[in-house]
Amino acid sequence: PIPCVPWQSQTSGQYQAEYMGDHHDVSGTDSPFRETANITDGSMFCADMATRNVIGDAMRGATWVAIHSGGGVGWGEVMNGGFGLVLDGSIGAEKRAEAMLLWDVNNGIARRAWDGNENALFEIERAVERYPKLKITKRHIVSEKLLLESVEDLKI
């Protein structure tokens, strides 16, 4: 990503910057050939997390969002959920940046925690403790025996 593009305000003379986010690989990338290749729940084959990420970023104040394909492995081989964020020095921009970036990164960590990644499980618990407003759906391990018995009960 391009960290920022500074410009001088015509009214105040102060410098401002736009954060150009492109996409965070941890959360906004869906591909069996990229950072999500180690996710074993099958979600690396669809664009659900890239789409969720874009919607979450938009709801939390991203200036622009985009779904785009390509991302280093070829057209049609990856879907990315990207964003841009104008940081103009205002309190509103600070609040939007905090909400959007907290969501964006932790969305990807939660995804890996759902899949059982030990580091992600540790980090998402730590993030929830540090940021009380962060709400994460936790994974629940299902007993394989109970699951198979339940499916067996459904057979006619």
Side-chain angles (χ1 to χ4, degrees), residues 39-90:
I39 296 177
T40 59
D41 65 4
S43 65
M44 63 184 172
F45 296 107
C46 55
D48 66 325
M49 289 304 289
T51 303
R52 288 181 203 178
N53 209 59
V54 161
I55 292 169
D57 287 346
M59 297 294 291
R60 287 162 180 84
T63 306
W64 59 260
V65 294
I67 296 284
H68 48 281
S69 181
V73 293
W75 187 261
E77 302 293 340
V78 63
M79 289 303 296
N80 296 307
F83 67 91
L85 186 60
V86 172
L87 303 173
D88 62 7
S90 68

Side-chain angles (χ1 to χ4, degrees), residues 53-134:
N53 209 59
V54 161
I55 292 169
D57 287 346
M59 297 294 291
R60 287 162 180 84
T63 306
W64 59 260
V65 294
I67 296 284
H68 48 281
S69 181
V73 293
W75 187 261
E77 302 293 340
V78 63
M79 289 303 296
N80 296 307
F83 67 91
L85 186 60
V86 172
L87 303 173
D88 62 7
S90 68
I91 292 171
E94 180 181 353
K95 288 181 179 181
R96 287 187 298 276
E98 181 180 355
M100 202 272 307
L101 294 172
L102 180 68
W103 152 260
D104 190 274
V105 173
N106 284 295
N107 183 41
I109 297 171
R111 178 183 190 182
R112 283 153 179 80
W114 297 331
D115 188 48
N117 180 297
E118 292 298 323
N119 291 327
L121 287 164
F122 173 79
E123 287 300 330
I124 205 63
E125 287 296 326
R126 194 167 80 158
V128 168
E129 288 173 14
R130 289 177 67 192
Y131 305 102
K133 290 183 178 181
L134 182 63

Side-chain angles (χ1 to χ4, degrees), residues 1-7 15-21 85-88:
I2 302 167
C4 65
V5 179
W7 74 88
Y15 281 92
Q16 301 173 348
E18 177 178 5
Y19 177 79
M20 302 291 283
L85 186 60
V86 172
L87 303 173
D88 62 7

